[in-house]
């Protein structure tokens, strides 16, 4: 028998080990309740990446060069973010919840988004560029419409007066969190608000009733539009806060544990407050006697 025909015991052991590992993974994959797609609560990081490879091959997920994982949804790809505790999967979060919510609303009959004013703070100041000059067109002076005469009367400072523009409204959840409870998993949809870095600037002339009425019957030309700034007495700066909707998949078991732990925590705080109030009441009675 030639040397080339001899089997290598080391290779055989490696092949057997690989076959055993693959078989064990397939068993784990089939027996665990899933929290999202083919992912299960408590899976290891190694198992997670194996499932990712399966779903990439099935054209459900896609990976980029940085190994970030995205869920394939028509028109956009939300990032899939796993959270591990002690090397085991605890929950999965999907980004771009604001774009995804319509899908969840339709499937699970959830309440619709509502329009909300997202102005965190509004500051009014006199417009330093206020120069109500005539309109020049090809070296000829043309009269601007009467609505370009700004009659606004605001006082400077932080203001809470209300005016409505599309730029300061956003669709948000009517309540948060929204919890979708299923047999093996729970979907938690919640929102938070964060300050938008760049402020929004509006000039008072564009908000005047005369200008609004004029716009309803006339189109503002580009030439006229450049005069809105210089013909506005006030500049209104808005600091906006944007809504971020987060969608998280959790196992039903883990969610029930979290809910019970929170309930017990609230119960303990209420009991402590009740004891404190009783102690204060008793002490008040003693003080009335002592003084």
């Amino acid at each position: 028998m030639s040397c080339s025909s001899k089997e290598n015991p080391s290779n055989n052991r490696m092949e057997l080990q690989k076959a055993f590992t693959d078989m064990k993974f397939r068993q784990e994959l089939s027996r665990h309740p899933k929290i999202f797609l083919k992912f299960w609560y408590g899976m290891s990081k190694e198992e997670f990446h194996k499932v990712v490879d399966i779903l990439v091959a099935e054209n459900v997920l896609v990976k980029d060069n940085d190994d970030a994982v995205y869920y394939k949804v028509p028109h956009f790809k939300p990032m899939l973010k796993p959270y591990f505790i002690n090397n085991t999967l605890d929950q999965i979060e999907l980004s771009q919840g604001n774009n995804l919510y319509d899908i969840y609303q339709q499937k699970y009959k959830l309440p619709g988004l509502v329009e909300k004013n997202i102005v965190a703070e509004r500051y009014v100041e006199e417009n330093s560029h206020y120069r109500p000059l005539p309109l020049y067109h090809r070296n000829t002076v043309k009269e601007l419409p009467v609505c370009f005469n700004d009659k606004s009367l605001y006082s400077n400072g932080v203001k809470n007066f209300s005016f409505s523009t599309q730029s300061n409204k956003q669709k948000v959840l009517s309540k948060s969190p929204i919890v979708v409870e299923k047999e093996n998993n729970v979907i938690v949809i919640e929102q938070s608000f964060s300050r938008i870095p760049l402020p929004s600037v509006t000039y008072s002339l564009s908000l005047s009733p005369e200008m609004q009425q004029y716009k309803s019957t006339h189109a503002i030309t580009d030439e006229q539009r450049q005069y809105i700034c210089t013909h506005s007495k006030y500049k209104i700066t808005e600091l906006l806060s944007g809504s971020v909707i987060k969608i998280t998949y959790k196992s039903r078991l883990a969610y029930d544990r979290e809910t019970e732990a929170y309930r017990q925590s609230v119960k303990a705080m209420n009991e402590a407050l009740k004891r404190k109030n009783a102690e204060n009441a008793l002490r008040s009675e003693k003080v009335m006697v002592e003084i």
Side-chain angles (χ1 to χ4, degrees):
M1 184 180 293
S2 66
C3 293
S4 60
S5 64
K6 291 182 180 179
E7 294 184 357
N8 189 324
S10 177
N11 288 341
N12 285 343
R13 282 195 299 271
M14 291 175 61
E15 290 175 3
L16 287 172
Q17 181 63 39
K18 183 179 182 303
F20 176 77
T21 302
D22 290 343
M23 181 185 69
K24 185 178 179 182
F25 169 72
R26 293 292 173 181
Q27 289 174 343
E28 294 292 298
L29 179 62
S30 62
R31 76 182 184 89
H32 287 287
K34 306 303 184 290
I35 60 173
F36 180 59
L37 300 176
K38 295 183 178 182
F39 301 103
W40 65 89
Y41 175 73
M43 70 191 307
S44 67
K45 289 184 179 180
E46 182 182 359
E47 290 169 331
F48 176 85
H49 291 299
K50 284 184 178 181
V51 171
V52 166
D53 290 339
I54 291 172
L55 293 173
V56 168
E58 293 176 354
N59 203 32
V60 175
L61 300 179
V62 62
K63 290 168 66 175
D64 65 11
N65 294 333
D66 297 324
D67 282 339
V69 181
Y70 299 88
Y71 182 39
K72 295 190 73 173
V73 178
H75 311 303
F76 64 99
K77 295 192 290 289
M79 182 181 288
L80 189 150
K81 302 178 182 177
Y83 289 87
F84 293 89
I85 296 178
N86 297 327
N87 199 43
T88 59
L89 183 66
D90 181 62
Q91 59 189 36
I92 289 176
E93 179 185 318
L94 288 178
S95 66
Q96 299 189 46
N98 298 60
N99 295 328
L100 284 170
Y101 184 77
D102 286 346
I103 301 173
Y104 287 82
Q105 180 193 356
Q106 182 178 357
K107 179 174 180 178
Y108 298 110
K109 312 300 181 190
L110 303 179
L113 297 174
V114 296
E115 235 181 24
K116 178 182 173 66
N117 190 311
I118 57 171
V119 177
E121 190 174 290
R122 183 179 289 124
Y123 187 80
V124 180
E125 60 186 326
E126 292 180 0
N127 181 15
S128 60
H129 299 290
Y130 179 55
R131 302 285 189 278
L133 301 174
L135 185 155
Y136 289 92
H137 181 72
R138 295 177 181 175
N139 298 322
T140 303
V141 176
K142 294 178 64 177
E143 288 294 328
L144 284 164
V146 177
C147 63
F148 277 81
N149 179 19
D150 191 1
K151 300 177 182 178
S152 303
L153 288 174
Y154 298 137
S155 56
N156 294 350
V158 176
K159 293 293 170 186
N160 293 317
F161 63 84
S162 176
F163 63 83
S164 177
T165 65
Q166 283 305 112
S167 65
N168 62 25
K169 287 186 177 294
Q170 184 180 10
K171 289 189 174 181
V172 301
L173 295 178
S174 58
K175 64 174 184 176
S176 178
I178 295 174
V179 179
V180 179
E181 298 189 28
K182 304 173 74 174
E183 182 179 357
N184 296 317
N185 69 333
V186 171
I187 306 169
V188 180
I189 304 172
E190 54 192 333
Q191 72 184 355
S192 59
F193 292 89
S194 59
R195 185 67 61 89
I196 296 174
L198 295 178
S200 171
V201 175
T202 307
Y203 290 95
S204 56
L205 185 62
S206 63
L207 302 172
S208 71
E210 294 82 6
M211 180 61 74
Q212 297 296 326
Q213 184 177 359
Y214 182 81
K215 285 181 178 179
S216 67
T217 55
H218 298 77
I220 297 290
T221 66
D222 291 338
E223 195 172 35
Q224 291 173 335
R225 189 172 287 108
Q226 65 181 330
Y227 284 85
I228 289 180
C229 170
T230 56
H231 282 62
S232 292
K233 292 181 179 179
Y234 302 95
K235 183 174 78 170
I236 302 160
T237 302
E238 293 177 322
L239 303 179
L240 307 178
S241 62
S243 164
V244 177
I245 297 177
K246 181 174 68 173
I247 299 175
T248 307
Y249 283 79
K250 303 181 179 185
S251 79
R252 183 59 186 261
L253 178 63
Y255 177 77
D256 288 344
R257 286 174 180 168
E258 289 177 11
T259 303
E260 179 60 21
Y262 176 75
R263 191 184 70 81
Q264 292 296 336
S265 174
V266 171
K267 181 181 177 181
M269 286 191 294
N270 289 337
E271 289 176 349
L273 181 61
K274 187 177 179 180
R275 288 194 300 270
K276 187 66 175 177
N277 289 339
E279 291 171 4
N280 288 338
L282 181 60
R283 183 58 193 151
S284 295
E285 292 177 3
K286 290 183 177 181
V287 169
M288 292 297 291
V289 174
E290 293 166 355
I291 62 174

